[in-house]
Amino acid sequence: MRINEIIRERRLAENLTQEQVALRLGVTAPAVNKWEKGTSYPDITLLPALARLLKTDLNTLLSFKDDLSVQEIQVFMNELTEMSEKDGFETAYRAGMEKIREYPNCEALILNTALIFDGSLVLNPKAQENEKYRASIEALYERAAAGADPFIGSQARSALISKYIGRKEYDRAEALLEELPEKNPVDKKQIQINLLIAQEKFAEAARLEEEKLLSASTEMYSLLLTLMEIALKEERMDDAEYIAEVSKKGAALFDLWEYMTYAAHFQLYSARKERVKCLKVLVPMLKSLTRKWELNRSPLYRHIKTKKVETDFGPKLQKAIIASVSEDKDMEFLKGVDNLEELL
């Protein structure tokens, strides 16, 4: 609340009239009336006496608070959005800037207000053309970027980089990109890719995006195997089979190593001691290990620079699996298969 609202609220709580407050402070009743209307304010020398009279403290009287809570900021953001829709962008802009003047060090308020302003401008074409708004919003992002909170700072820098890219100010975008930490709440690599695309450096952008895709798809595959293992331990057999099928389709969909299209089902059938199904997967899986994974043949990974890897990695893994099938106690359920050794 503002000071005028606090004065009125506390006066009424103490059952005092404006005349009584005026008499005890040595001012006129119209002066107190103006305080409560917000058209003028008490002299600074009167504040301690006014606070004592209203049985409050100076911080409360002056509505002083260091910061806003997350909930308070969210409520205000909703109010700003509604205000922009109903009363126009200019009204929301004034309210947002007034709140920031009230809490000049609240980095979360500054960032979120700038984001709301940006979003509101999309729906207000006329306001978009106003240079004052553009400069003011960017100044808010700059304030948030210079703050102490690394999460807020990274978000603010990301917003500024997008604006610089849009204006083809690539040097400024690159300089700000360098300031983003590697361990970052925003996707630094994706911002870098967007910058490269804007600069028409398509091959480099594609390489970075393909590396992201390969990393994400292999991580997804690993996550699915873990989920399947959990499902097996919980004896959710239908779920385990479904997850194995998803992992197989995912490996094929994202052009991963052929071996990965078999591995989940082999693990599943081995855990369930299903001899026939296990053998049906085992044979093509072992054969797949003799074929090299040519990553660049896939349209998904044309630009990735493949490194020279151990050429006998597949055969080594093949031998390890054969040894496991032959010697591991968990694989003894296969021992009754005719010509198993010959098959292997």
Side-chain angles (χ1 to χ4, degrees):
M1 288 192 296
R2 299 176 184 277
I3 184 172
N4 61 303
E5 295 170 334
I6 294 170
I7 292 173
R8 175 175 172 77
E9 183 184 87
R10 293 302 308 157
R11 176 180 65 77
L12 293 173
E14 294 301 315
N15 294 315
L16 295 171
T17 64
Q18 291 183 347
E19 289 75 10
Q20 287 173 319
V21 171
L23 180 63
R24 295 181 190 186
L25 293 177
V27 297
T28 65
V32 177
N33 184 263
K34 288 180 180 180
W35 296 348
E36 294 188 2
K37 287 183 177 179
T39 55
S40 68
Y41 298 97
D43 187 274
I44 192 170
T45 59
L46 290 174
L47 292 178
L50 177 59
R52 285 192 291 271
L53 176 62
L54 300 178
K55 294 183 181 178
T56 188
D57 56 80
L58 280 174
N59 282 344
T60 302
L61 183 64
L62 297 173
S63 62
F64 177 79
K65 191 164 57 171
D66 289 329
D67 225 335
L68 291 169
S69 68
V70 173
Q71 291 78 11
E72 288 172 323
I73 292 172
Q74 186 59 57
V75 169
F76 182 64
M77 293 304 108
N78 292 338
E79 290 173 356
L80 272 189
T81 302
E82 187 175 346
M83 200 180 299
S84 178
E85 292 173 355
K86 290 185 177 180
D87 305 321
F89 179 78
E90 178 62 33
T91 301
Y93 174 80
R94 287 198 301 267
M97 296 306 291
E98 179 60 33
K99 182 68 80 172
I100 289 172
R101 280 190 286 272
E102 192 176 347
Y103 296 95
N105 298 317
C106 184
E107 296 168 19
L109 172 67
I110 293 169
L111 172 64
N112 282 282
T113 301
L115 291 170
I116 290 294
F117 284 169
D118 258 345
S120 297
L121 280 179
V122 174
L123 303 175
N124 292 270
K126 290 184 179 179
Q128 286 181 40
E129 300 171 5
N130 193 321
E131 177 65 21
K132 176 187 77 171
Y133 296 139
R134 185 189 69 79
S136 179
I137 292 170
E138 285 195 24
L140 293 179
Y141 284 130
E142 288 165 359
R143 284 173 63 179
D149 189 310
F151 180 80
I152 291 173
S154 293
Q155 286 183 297
R157 290 187 186 94
S158 299
L160 285 170
I161 291 169
S162 295
K163 290 184 177 297
Y164 296 157
I165 291 174
R167 298 202 297 267
K168 298 185 179 182
E169 297 176 10
Y170 301 135
D171 290 342
R172 295 183 73 183
E174 286 177 357
L176 208 52
L177 184 63
E178 288 296 317
E179 294 181 16
L180 287 176
E182 291 303 323
K183 291 184 177 180
N184 190 41
V186 297
D187 191 338
K188 181 176 180 178
K189 183 166 282 190
Q190 189 59 55
I191 296 172
Q192 184 180 4
I193 290 166
N194 294 341
L195 176 58
L196 289 169
I197 292 172
Q199 294 173 305
E200 298 186 358
K201 297 178 180 179
F202 301 124
E204 192 175 350
R207 178 181 62 80
L208 292 177
E209 200 71 271
E210 288 170 8
E211 287 174 354
K212 281 188 66 181
L213 176 62
L214 181 59
S215 175
S217 57
T218 51
E219 182 182 4
M220 173 205 69
Y221 183 83
S222 176
L223 292 172
L224 287 168
L225 289 184
T226 303
L227 284 174
M228 186 186 72
E229 182 182 354
I230 294 169
L232 286 169
K233 290 182 182 299
E234 292 182 335
E235 298 184 356
R236 294 183 288 111
M237 296 305 170
D238 289 344
D239 290 353
E241 189 146 9
Y242 178 83
I243 295 169
E245 189 62 28
V246 171
S247 69
K248 175 183 177 179
K249 291 177 179 178
L253 180 66
F254 291 104
D255 293 341
L256 300 181
W257 192 17
E258 184 187 353
Y259 162 77
M260 298 167 79
T261 63
Y262 301 108
H265 280 97
F266 177 69
Q267 183 178 329
L268 172 69
Y269 298 144
S270 297
R272 298 199 315 202
K273 312 298 184 189
E274 296 185 49
R275 181 188 297 175
V276 175
K277 288 183 178 180
C278 189
L279 286 173
K280 283 185 176 179
V281 172
L282 176 60
V283 174
M285 182 178 75
L286 290 174
K287 286 183 178 180
S288 73
L289 291 171
T290 65
R291 294 186 282 272
K292 184 180 177 182
W293 181 20
E294 297 183 88
L295 187 65
N296 296 133
R297 292 187 66 180
S298 168
L300 297 177
Y301 311 114
R302 292 282 194 229
H303 299 81
I304 291 181
K305 295 178 181 178
T306 55
K307 298 177 182 178
K308 288 184 178 180
V309 295
E310 227 179 329
T311 55
D312 60 346
F313 175 74
K316 277 186 175 180
L317 180 57
Q318 187 188 67
K319 287 179 181 178
I321 294 171
I322 291 172
S324 174
V325 171
S326 302
E327 302 166 12
D328 197 323
K329 289 183 179 181
D330 290 336
M331 303 300 291
E332 285 184 349
F333 70 96
L334 291 177
K335 294 295 173 64
V337 176
D338 294 335
N339 303 321
L340 177 63
E341 294 299 325
E342 183 182 345
L343 179 67
L344 293 177

